[in-house]
Amino acid sequence: QSALTQPASVSGSPGQSITISCTGTSSDVGGYNYVSWYQQHPGKAPKLMIYDVSNRPSGVSNRFSGSKSGNTASLTISGLQAEDEADYYCSSYTSSSTQAVFGGGTKLTVL
Amino acid sequence: QVQLQESGPGLVKPSETLSLTCTVSGGSISSYYWSWIRQPAGKGLEWIGRIYTSGSTNYNPSLKSRVTMSVDTSKNQFSLKLSSVTAADTAVYYCARMGAAFDIWGQGTMVTVSS
């Protein structure tokens, strides 16, 4: 069981927007602005898409955005493209001795 | 730009010790935290632990009794040892730079625990 809870799957059609949630506790997501999101294509290493809740690394499309409310963080992808089909993972700093926790991952299908 | 490359045996026998090394190229290993993360086939990511270039470490409590990390700044490398492995330790192992997030990842190396 993962420390952060994500939906197992989401889907959307090209051009649409989707949102993936990531629910934790006040000891991780809710307590710190250190939530990050990763995109992973099959057989590839994860790629950082969002850090510190809502910041995009250089080179990441502005179609990707992040936000947080209470103990739940969200990743929104607008203008869905076929290449966005992948697994997405959230991660957060945690005040527990674990230091870093991941969500279980969400499979995005572009219909 | 900074790149990471994992290396080590792809097959480890049960009860033995898994040993992996991550080589940092294109930049200095200094002044960063460096992490190991693993992913069993078809499953999610699990943070194993991190090491600072001073040698200070933090480990996932679920693995702490079996994990040892070390760093060699002269070689721009850091390493993972996981003892008493079982089939449950079979996974792709990634090394990553841990700043505000895991911003740079190695390509990953598959480690299978089997006799």
Side-chain angles (χ1 to χ4, degrees):
Chain A
Q1 186 175 358
S2 301
L4 305 179
T5 301
Q6 298 181 232
S9 63
V10 298
S11 63
S13 300
Q16 290 185 332
S17 295
I18 63 95
T19 297
I20 299 171
S21 62
C22 171
T23 301
T25 69
S26 57
S27 295
D28 38 64
V29 173
Y32 307 91
N33 288 326
Y34 295 135
V35 177
S36 51
W37 289 91
Y38 303 86
Q39 176 191 65
Q40 186 179 35
H41 287 110
K44 300 295 186 182
K47 174 187 176 184
L48 177 64
M49 305 302 285
I50 296 287
Y51 67 96
D52 292 354
V53 176
S54 59
N55 293 308
R56 278 187 311 274
S58 174
V60 172
S61 170
N62 59 10
R63 298 186 298 105
F64 292 82
S65 62
S67 63
K68 189 184 83 166
S69 177
N71 294 337
T72 299
S74 298
L75 173 71
T76 298
I77 308 174
S78 59
L80 269 181
Q81 299 179 359
E83 68 206 46
D84 299 331
E85 186 163 292
D87 294 327
Y88 291 84
Y89 293 90
C90 63
S91 179
S92 174
Y93 171 80
T94 172
S95 58
S96 77
S97 55
T98 305
Q99 296 286 319
V101 291
F102 286 98
T106 298
K107 181 176 180 59
L108 169 62
T109 300
V110 180
L111 301 171
Chain B
Q1 73 277 24
V2 175
Q3 294 183 311
L4 308 182
Q5 178 68 58
E6 305 89 351
S7 59
L11 181 64
V12 182
K13 289 182 169 56
S15 79
E16 295 190 345
T17 296
L18 177 160
S19 296
L20 296 175
T21 295
C22 183
T23 301
V24 180
S25 61
S28 174
I29 196 172
S30 297
S31 304
Y32 282 99
Y33 281 100
W34 302 92
S35 275
W36 288 96
I37 296 158
R38 69 181 183 178
Q39 184 175 36
K43 296 188 178 182
L45 301 166
E46 180 181 32
W47 182 75
I48 299 171
R50 70 177 185 179
I51 185 165
Y52 192 64
T53 47
S54 64
S56 172
T57 55
N58 299 98
Y59 301 141
N60 187 324
S62 68
L63 298 168
K64 187 176 183 178
S65 63
R66 300 193 292 129
V67 172
T68 303
M69 293 183 184
S70 59
V71 62
D72 187 336
T73 55
S74 67
K75 294 183 178 179
N76 249 26
Q77 293 178 333
F78 61 103
S79 299
L80 167 71
K81 291 187 185 297
L82 181 65
S83 64
S84 304
V85 297
T86 69
D89 296 309
T90 295
V92 175
Y93 285 75
Y94 295 100
C95 57
R97 191 173 76 174
M98 185 179 183
F102 301 105
D103 60 346
I104 301 174
W105 295 65
Q107 64 184 25
T109 187
M110 179 69 202
V111 178
T112 301
V113 178
S114 176
S115 56

